[in-house]
Amino acid sequence: MYENNYPNNYEHTPTGQNMINQTNRSQGGSNSYSYGSNGSFSGANDGFYNERRTNQYRPEKKPANAHNSSSGTGKKLAIGICCGLLFGIFAALGFNAIDFAADFAKARMGMSQTQGTTAIVEESDEQTAGAQESQSGTEEKQETAEVSGTQIIKTTVTDVTEVVKDAMPAVVSVNGRYVEKMTFWGQEYSQEGVGSGSGIIVGQNDTELLLVTNYHVVESAEELTVQFVNGDQAQAQVKGVDEDKDLAVIAVQLGDISSEAMDQIAIAKMGSSDDLTVGEPVIAIGNALGYGQSVTTGVVSALDRTIGAVVQSASQNMDTEINTFIQTDAAINPGNSGGALLNINGEVIGINSSKIGDTRVEGMGYAIPISDAQPIIEELMEKETRLKVAEEDRGYLGITGVDVKTEYSQLYGAPKGVYVSTVTEGSGADKAGIIRGDIIVELNGEEITSMAELKNELQYYAAGTTVELKLMQAYPEGYRENTVKVTLGGQSSVQ
């Protein structure tokens, strides 16, 4: 029989059914439905449904069944926990395996990404041994890897800190004081101004420290001051200039330099601009905006750029084509003029000039190629250093003059120089025989092409000094060259 005492064998015949009924009736329900210990009932269907309605008897599960149910639930819970633990363990192992594989692949490829943008070369000690090259303190890390058999990835990280550390002591700030003179309603007024630029220490002799800068940095400066890497300052004098090439060599007396500064400064290493290639990295160092030394980096954007420079004087503006230049996207701003453009080895390959180019564009700076400038620099370094004379002690020729403009030179065949328009009676020029119409083209061997240049040269001569002038004098058949000696007078002699 089943658990609820249903008969498990009977016949599906009327006879069998009758026998069952009779038996139930005669035995008083011995084969009746039983509900645990509550006994049995016999007979009528009506009694069965009454029991269902009144719910007086609830079937009780056998103890065996209760034990089986609780133990089954516990097993299921334990199995679930074990499965969860196993899943977590295998998931963690899987993620760790993926991370390990990714790190291994990145290490093999020599690159990884930080925040999705910065490429950093990661190499083990074994991989980096013999693979890193250092040139003059510049560290370059390169790694190549083949991806999918076809694509080659190359990563280069360049550190210029050592290059800058070695080169900075050879770069100086050059500050100048200027006096600008203006004429208003026949009255002459003067206004003082200051300017700033940069310079490069290129040599030293027994008495002087020699520096190269741009000509426009020192042009018309009444006083020049050089500031070294340690902050010390000293006065400088112009040794020689080349206006057409925008170059000048200035000198600082060794006696004016402190021992502390001498211990920290250095002479720049010269390179070659002939070996440059487009795209090669470069470093610019200079006194940007007069704030002090700063560093910018970039690449060689172009070579052999020919730029027309505007030469300005008191009476004319003249376009002059000057040499070819290195173009770079390293920032070169006012104040950088005369500073160093370095290659990755820390060698000077150009002299920066912010005057060249156009202020309307960005990312285009220019530098004078060092291979073109070096012969001129060496020549200027051999000149005798001249000290400027105080304004009240300076010598004067005793003339007024104007520049010979280009159009006049072309029309009349007049040489470029200073056309003498008047001569002061009793002055040195008058005594030397200089007359109106003479053209001054040279003073003590220095070429003179403008009145501004003549005034600039006279700053180095005191009253009473005798100078030699080369003149071009007009004759009916043309201009003839003549040389005269003039003893300069004092300021009172020209008033």
Side-chain angles (χ1 to χ4, degrees), residues 68-79:
N68 291 340
S69 176
S70 61
S71 63
T73 301
K75 288 180 180 180
K76 291 179 181 179
L77 181 60
I79 291 172

Side-chain angles (χ1 to χ4, degrees), residues 460-475:
Y460 300 100
Y461 300 97
T465 305
T466 299
V467 297
E468 186 176 86
L469 293 179
K470 182 183 288 187
L471 306 175
M472 297 300 292
Q473 297 176 324
Y475 289 87

Side-chain angles (χ1 to χ4, degrees), residues 185-350:
W185 291 98
Q187 297 294 322
E188 189 176 82
Y189 300 90
S190 60
Q191 179 180 357
E192 188 173 294
V194 294
S196 61
S198 305
I200 308 168
I201 302 174
V202 293
Q204 179 181 332
N205 57 31
D206 294 338
T207 59
E208 301 167 323
L209 189 69
L210 304 177
L211 306 93
V212 64
T213 185
N214 288 140
Y215 169 72
H216 72 263
V217 172
V218 301
E219 181 183 9
S220 302
E222 293 287 334
E223 182 180 280
L224 288 174
T225 303
V226 168
Q227 180 172 314
F228 299 105
V229 65
N230 70 329
D232 285 0
Q233 296 185 359
Q235 285 194 343
Q237 295 81 34
V238 176
K239 196 172 184 69
V241 301
D242 189 324
E243 183 178 358
D244 289 340
K245 302 300 182 182
D246 196 25
L247 292 172
V249 170
I250 60 178
V252 179
Q253 300 300 310
L254 294 179
D256 296 336
I257 306 174
S258 67
S259 57
E260 180 184 352
M262 288 297 297
D263 291 338
Q264 296 190 33
I265 62 178
I267 296 176
K269 295 185 297 182
M270 294 297 175
S272 172
S273 55
D274 295 335
D275 303 327
L276 291 177
T277 58
V278 174
E280 182 177 338
V282 290
I283 306 159
I285 303 179
N287 181 25
L289 303 180
Y291 294 150
Q293 303 292 21
S294 64
V295 178
T296 57
T297 60
V299 298
V300 174
S301 303
L303 298 170
D304 301 326
R305 289 293 197 211
T306 302
I307 308 295
V310 179
V311 179
Q312 297 182 348
S313 65
S315 60
Q316 65 178 338
N317 288 334
M318 178 175 56
D319 287 338
T320 303
E321 187 176 287
I322 55 169
N323 215 332
T324 54
F325 298 89
I326 302 167
Q327 180 185 327
T328 176
D329 64 345
I332 297 176
N333 297 294
N336 277 108
S337 292
L341 187 69
L342 309 170
N343 61 16
I344 207 66
N345 299 322
E347 300 168 335
V348 178
I349 48 91

Side-chain angles (χ1 to χ4, degrees), residues 57-95:
Y57 301 95
R58 292 182 179 272
E60 293 184 3
K61 294 182 180 180
K62 294 181 179 181
N65 290 342
H67 175 73
N68 291 340
S69 176
S70 61
S71 63
T73 301
K75 288 180 180 180
K76 291 179 181 179
L77 181 60
I79 291 172
I81 293 173
C82 291
C83 289
L85 291 174
L86 289 175
F87 177 78
I89 292 171
F90 282 112
L93 291 175
F95 286 129

